[in-house]
């Protein structure tokens, strides 16, 4: 079963004699929004302004969910049933997490790719933090995929085998860091 969560914050968790970093995820408000022939659609949080086509699709649950994710239908479920963390997750489970990493804006090659830059001696001018040559004369072009300056972050990140440390009410404690900023949406796949 898939659960849509919202990242709250990071904390530490006592695991025996070790202190382990963990991330707290709020998984409240998950509902089975629609059941298709081979898929189940899970939704969370209502949309404020809705198109009429969507109202008809989700009229059984009474609202149009803002965040939806579909997965293969493995068991019989009914539309409108709330998904709780206590029923689907247990301490020690290994889950897969999908999220979007933090955006860091436009970055040069030193920050984005870890290049060392040019020489730092006298008279070098502006080339100290630049990448240098980007191609030879023979091909007469810059190859696709060349490491260049540009937008950093806001990438889809998938983490596998993340351990569930604690499940309490609508909150789930996951071992380690989870991609994204506070308040970002995280998909938890069991």
């Amino acid at each position: 079963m898939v659960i849509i969560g919202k990242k709250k914050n990071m904390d530490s968790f006592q695991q025996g004699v070790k202190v382990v970093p963990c991330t707290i995820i709020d998984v409240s408000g998950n509902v089975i929004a629609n059941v298709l022939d081979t898929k189940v659609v899970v939704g969370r949080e209502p949309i404020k302004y809705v198109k009429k086509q969507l109202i008809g699709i989700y009229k059984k649950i009474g609202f149009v969910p803002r965040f939806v994710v579909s997965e293969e239908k493995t068991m019989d479920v009914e539309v409108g049933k709330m998904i709780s963390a206590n029923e689907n997750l247990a301490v020690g489970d290994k889950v897969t997490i999908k999220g979007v990493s933090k955006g860091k804006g436009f970055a040069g090659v030193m920050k984005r790719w870890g290049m060392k830059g040019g020489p730092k001696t006298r008279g070098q001018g502006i080339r100290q933090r630049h990448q240098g040559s980007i191609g030879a004369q023979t091909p007469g072009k810059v190859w696709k995929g060349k490491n260049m300056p540009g937008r950093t972050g806001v990438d889809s990140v998938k983490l596998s085998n993340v351990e569930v440390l604690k499940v309490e009410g609508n909150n789930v404690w996951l071992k380690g860091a989870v991609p994204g900023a506070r308040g970002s949406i995280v998909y938890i796949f069991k």
Side-chain angles (χ1 to χ4, degrees):
M1 181 60 78
V2 64
I3 298 174
I4 304 170
K6 192 172 265 194
K7 183 175 174 181
K8 287 177 83 173
N9 59 332
M10 286 194 73
D11 200 0
S12 58
F13 186 81
Q14 188 82 26
Q15 196 174 36
V17 292
K18 290 177 19 179
V19 177
V20 179
C22 66
T23 306
I24 303 170
I25 307 289
D26 175 30
V27 294
S28 62
N30 282 283
V31 64
I32 295 175
N34 203 353
V35 178
L36 307 171
D37 293 336
T38 59
K39 295 200 178 244
V40 174
V41 179
V42 177
R44 178 191 167 123
E45 293 181 20
I47 295 177
K48 191 170 183 180
Y49 302 106
V50 184
K51 294 181 179 178
K52 285 187 178 180
Q53 296 90 341
L54 294 174
I55 293 172
I57 295 172
Y58 297 110
K59 71 179 173 185
K60 288 184 181 176
I61 61 170
F63 67 94
V64 177
R66 182 174 172 200
F67 305 105
V68 292
V69 63
S70 61
E71 66 167 353
E72 287 186 25
K73 186 177 177 183
T74 55
M75 57 186 166
D76 289 333
V77 289
E78 58 186 50
V79 175
K81 182 185 176 206
M82 296 297 286
I83 300 171
S84 67
N86 293 328
E87 294 174 5
N88 295 303
L89 296 173
V91 175
D93 283 352
K94 300 285 185 177
V95 294
T96 300
I97 296 171
K98 284 185 181 179
V100 177
S101 64
K102 284 185 180 179
K104 295 176 174 63
F106 190 92
V109 291
M110 290 182 81
K111 180 178 178 181
R112 190 176 186 203
W113 302 107
M115 293 182 181
K116 66 176 191 173
K120 280 121 185 117
T121 58
R122 289 174 293 149
Q124 298 306 314
I126 199 167
R127 58 178 229 190
Q128 290 168 343
R129 292 186 63 88
H130 287 229
Q131 72 265 30
S133 176
I134 58 172
Q137 185 178 1
T138 305
K141 63 178 181 178
V142 178
W143 293 104
K144 281 188 179 177
K146 176 76 179 146
N147 294 352
M148 301 280 274
R151 180 194 50 76
T152 309
V154 193
D155 297 317
S156 181
V157 178
K158 179 181 178 183
L159 298 175
S160 298
N161 295 324
V162 178
E163 185 181 348
V164 176
L165 297 174
K166 183 179 174 183
V167 180
E168 185 179 287
N170 291 325
N171 294 328
V172 177
W173 279 255
L174 298 174
K175 188 174 184 179
V178 170
R182 285 190 191 119
S184 61
I185 293 296
V186 176
Y187 299 98
I188 302 171
F189 298 89
K190 186 171 178 189

